[in-house]
Every structure is written in structure tokens, then in C-alpha cells.
Amino acid sequence: MVTLEKEVVRQQLLAKLDALTRRNSRDELIRDRCNDPMDQMQTRFEMDLTISVINNDFETRKAVQTALRLLDEDEYGICQDCGAEINPQRLEAIPWTTLCVYCQDEYDCSGVSHQSGDFVRAA
């Protein structure tokens, strides 16, 4: 990967990291207590959704940080599971991905964590 391409990818990753850092979904977890059962159900649904967003942001943030580290180590674009080159179109769509499409599919279908070190699910 040439230096100019690396810098473009680095800027994309840093922009994503910045956007994830600025968004604070935790404020949405603070809710007033209500007595109406329907309101309680709605509040519970909204809390579950907010927690899901927070978890997704956390995992994405870890993946972006891992991609930045891999970029610095000249291992960016190489599947962290099988060692194959990740399709450039996949990297363009999801710059923080650490798995090729085949390994990602295996990961998604297995339900078993393929995490080794700080390498995590990307998309």
C-alpha cells in the first residue's frame, strides 16, 4: 500500500474514531421512572436499544483502533484469521475490517468468538 493510500485510510479511520468518541449514547440511559405499564415497556425497549448501540460503538471503536495499529505495522488489508488479502472493495466499504469476507461469514455463522489478542469482529 503506497503512502498516499495509507494516509487516506488513516484519515478515514481517525474520522470514524472521532465520530464514535463524540457520540455519547449513555445520556439516553437516564430515564424518569414511570408507573404506567405501557410506558415502562417503551422505556425498557428504548434502554435495550441504547445499550445495543453502545455495545456496537464499543466494538467498532476497538476494530478501528486495531485497523490503525495494523496500518502502522504494514499488515492492513490482510485477514487476521486466514492471512489472505482482503478484497479492496470490502476495505473501501468497511475500512476497519480485519477479516476477509469468507472468514467474516464463518465468524457470523459460528457464533463462536474468533478473537485473538485485540483482533475483533469488524462488520
Side-chain angles (χ1 to χ4, degrees):
M1 180 175 272
V2 293
T3 306
L4 182 60
E5 289 175 339
K6 283 176 97 171
E7 191 55 36
V8 168
V9 170
R10 183 180 316 283
Q11 292 307 315
Q12 289 174 332
L13 292 170
L14 289 172
K16 181 65 173 180
L17 193 59
D18 183 53
L20 289 167
T21 303
R22 280 188 281 123
R23 183 163 70 180
N24 189 1
S25 300
R26 291 182 185 149
D27 293 340
E28 296 177 34
L29 288 175
I30 301 171
R31 300 275 182 212
D32 291 331
R33 192 122 167 99
C34 55
N35 292 327
D36 181 45
M38 291 303 286
D39 287 343
Q40 288 175 352
M41 285 177 38
Q42 181 65 30
T43 299
R44 178 61 188 190
F45 172 77
E46 290 171 0
M47 280 182 42
D48 289 346
L49 184 60
T50 300
I51 290 169
S52 178
V53 168
I54 290 170
N55 287 338
N56 188 48
D57 285 355
F58 178 76
E59 292 298 325
T60 303
R61 191 175 304 123
K62 285 188 344 185
V64 170
Q65 291 167 339
T66 299
L68 284 165
R69 181 183 54 78
L70 292 172
L71 193 63
D72 290 338
E73 296 173 357
D74 290 328
E75 293 182 22
Y76 180 79
I78 298 170
C79 179
Q80 297 299 293
D81 198 24
C82 71
E85 185 176 335
I86 299 173
N87 185 318
Q89 291 174 328
R90 177 167 169 76
L91 288 171
E92 188 176 328
I94 311 165
W96 55 89
T97 191
T98 57
L99 298 174
C100 68
V101 71
Y102 302 108
C103 292
Q104 183 68 54
D105 188 47
E106 290 265 332
Y107 173 83
D108 292 342
C109 290
S110 72
V112 176
S113 176
H114 284 17
Q115 297 181 3
S116 61
D118 61 348
F119 142 68
V120 295
R121 171 193 65 82

